[in-house]
Amino acid sequence: MNTFISVCYGPIIYLYALRKTKKDFLVAKKWYVFLPFFVLMIAYFTVSCVFLILNRVDKKLLDLYNDLSLSLIFIINLYYPVKSILIANKNKKTLLHQIEYGVIIKISCCILFIESFIPISKILQLIFPQDSNTINIIIRSLTYFTLLIICLLIIRKSFKIQNENSLEPILKPKIEIEKTDISKEVVHLNTIDFEFKFKDLWQKLDESVKRQQLFRDCDLTLDQLATKTNINKYQISEMLNGYKNKSFYQYINEYRIEYFKKGIEKAIEKNENINFLFLSYEAGFKSKSSFNRYFKEINGKTPSEYYKNLIKERNLEMA
């Protein structure tokens, strides 16, 4: 019997592509892409129960299930990977990081490669019916090998992004040291010089960050910001360090904290329950500890203290 889990491969890479190209995208909005999975799951267990009750395998029922499930798996895993490739290509130069783009394309191609085994196996079984079992074993082996490649691609992608993020804090002090050495040889630009040099470019960068809410990407790096705004990363670094006197992480985290604070204020106005952790993740923070640390650094108080002060001020206004 065909396992129903296979019908999830295409939808998962499709949802991943959407998540990486649409900042406000919620997986729950596309819940229906997993309907085939639940249909096949019910069918699988129903057929299995029938076989247990009959205490034998009904060949006709088994063939019916396999034919229907195979057709559905083939259609789903053909449609969604192709759609994922189209989404990735459309957003390659604007939203997608190069690593993410490569993973989406490669995994989609692997899924399409697996699906190509279905018509090939059917043709081979028609030509060599006596070797049907051997053909099935070879096809299944190739499928499992391709799935292993997909797993390795995911692991490799995770390591690449982790290495990129870990290098960022190391590179940042080096740039600052180089700037300090240069300043000993030449006259340092004053505020007026920076204003003249970077005013328009800074406006372009800042508007892009706010409009696209780039800060909400928890994996955002200087390289990714440069790619998404079409501004050289060294210019961004120079603007942040020289023009605005702040680091890349400080700049991004200030927007994340601001997003969190607005979320708190809206929730208080609507008398809604507030989940600090959920709201901090929505703002772009990766962990509770980093969120609490940066919040206190920027606001001088913890999130709960800030919340209590807002409640107190609101009660005073209403009194």
Side-chain angles (χ1 to χ4, degrees), residues 179-277:
K179 287 174 66 181
T180 305
D181 293 337
I182 293 169
S183 66
K184 293 177 183 178
E185 300 172 10
V186 296
V187 178
H188 185 69
L189 290 172
N190 56 30
T191 308
I192 297 172
D193 293 328
F194 276 122
E195 186 73 22
F196 178 77
K197 185 177 180 182
F198 291 127
K199 184 180 178 181
D200 293 336
L201 195 60
W202 174 259
Q203 190 174 355
K204 177 188 173 184
L205 172 72
D206 206 41
E207 283 180 0
S208 295
V209 171
K210 286 188 285 187
R211 186 178 65 255
Q212 300 178 44
Q213 294 190 332
L214 301 179
F215 55 87
R216 292 183 63 192
D217 181 357
C218 63
D219 295 318
L220 187 69
T221 63
L222 182 61
D223 283 332
Q224 290 175 335
L225 183 62
T227 302
K228 292 173 181 180
T229 57
N230 291 319
I231 300 173
N232 185 283
K233 70 175 183 178
Y234 297 109
Q235 285 183 307
I236 294 175
S237 180
E238 190 178 359
M239 281 193 291
L240 286 169
N241 289 291
Y243 185 35
K244 293 297 176 179
N245 296 314
K246 60 181 72 175
S247 67
F248 167 75
Y249 290 103
Q250 184 184 349
Y251 170 63
I252 295 301
N253 285 329
E254 282 175 1
Y255 271 118
R256 288 170 177 166
I257 295 298
E258 196 61 34
Y259 181 91
F260 173 84
K261 286 162 70 176
K262 285 179 181 177
I264 291 286
E265 289 166 9
K266 286 179 184 176
I268 291 173
E269 285 175 10
K270 296 178 181 179
N271 289 320
E272 294 176 344
N273 292 326
I274 301 169
N275 186 324
F276 284 10
L277 191 58

Side-chain angles (χ1 to χ4, degrees), residues 280-306:
S280 68
Y281 287 156
E282 260 204 340
F285 284 100
K286 240 179 181 179
S287 67
K288 182 181 177 181
S289 58
S290 63
F291 162 65
N292 287 330
R293 185 175 70 254
Y294 282 117
F295 191 95
K296 191 164 186 180
E297 275 182 18
I298 293 171
N299 293 281
K301 58 187 75 173
T302 64
S304 57
E305 287 171 346
Y306 176 80

Side-chain angles (χ1 to χ4, degrees), residues 5-19:
I5 194 71
S6 304
V7 83
C8 288
Y9 301 154
I12 287 172
I13 190 62
Y14 170 65
L15 292 175
Y16 183 78
L18 288 178
R19 177 67 185 87

